[in-house]
Amino acid sequence: MMVITGRRFFLIFAGAFLVIITVNLFLAFSAVRTFPGLEVKNSYVASQNWDEERAAQLALDWTVDAVVRNEILTLTITDADGAPVEVQSLDGIFGRATSVRDDQVPAFEFNGEAYVAPVETSGGNWNLRLEAIAPDGTEFKQRIVVLVD
């Protein structure tokens, strides 16, 4: 039978805390290293016009969807009648939800029905952070989750 002395108990206790601290430090450094950054520089300033911008964007009554097939990102924007919308300008960043390492700026082209752009992907959860200007000048911003097989 093994007797647990004060010294042995201390070593077991200290070893358990060492494991916990090591794992916590590893997770903290991993989180900071992969942090994609801030959405806005100053959330207070960004919030001042949020209600008006949201109301203007909802008034457009657009339905937006994105899908990737065979390394082609297809973005469809339709109005309330289901007709495709051609915007004044369209910008976006396509990348992983948790890291900026795979971020890409798609070169969208309107084909009469949708916007298409070649992208490099692998399976998993991707985001398209979209910014467009409607034909009437209204700003449209949306983050679209794209699941790639």
Side-chain angles (χ1 to χ4, degrees):
M1 179 172 189
M2 183 167 81
V3 177
I4 298 180
T5 63
R7 178 183 170 116
R8 185 170 289 172
F9 179 78
F10 173 76
L11 291 175
I12 293 169
F13 191 76
F17 269 97
L18 184 62
V19 169
I20 292 169
I21 291 169
T22 302
V23 169
N24 282 336
L25 286 173
F26 172 75
L27 292 175
F29 282 113
S30 295
V32 169
R33 185 174 40 87
T34 61
F35 181 64
L38 300 173
E39 289 290 325
V40 294
K41 291 183 189 221
N42 187 326
S43 59
Y44 177 75
V45 172
S47 73
Q48 296 305 297
N49 299 321
W50 192 85
D51 287 329
E52 293 84 16
E53 291 170 1
R54 180 176 178 265
Q57 183 169 312
L58 288 175
L60 292 172
D61 202 15
W62 286 356
T63 302
V64 181
D65 189 37
V67 65
V68 174
R69 287 193 185 95
N70 300 322
E71 302 292 308
I72 299 293
L73 173 61
T74 304
L75 172 69
T76 56
I77 304 173
T78 55
D79 62 16
D81 299 325
V85 174
E86 187 171 5
V87 297
Q88 281 185 21
S89 69
L90 178 67
D91 293 310
I93 298 175
F94 183 68
R96 294 283 190 180
T98 57
S99 172
V100 295
R101 180 184 59 202
D102 296 323
D103 280 4
Q104 305 166 53
V105 178
F108 286 109
E109 292 184 19
F110 188 65
N111 66 9
E113 303 228 347
Y115 290 89
V116 294
V119 291
E120 294 179 20
T121 63
S122 57
N125 182 15
W126 292 75
N127 284 338
L128 175 61
R129 292 180 297 279
L130 177 69
E131 293 185 17
I133 304 293
D136 67 0
T138 303
E139 264 191 279
F140 183 87
K141 296 180 182 180
Q142 190 169 1
R143 182 180 55 88
I144 304 160
V145 176
V146 182
L147 298 175
V148 178
D149 295 331

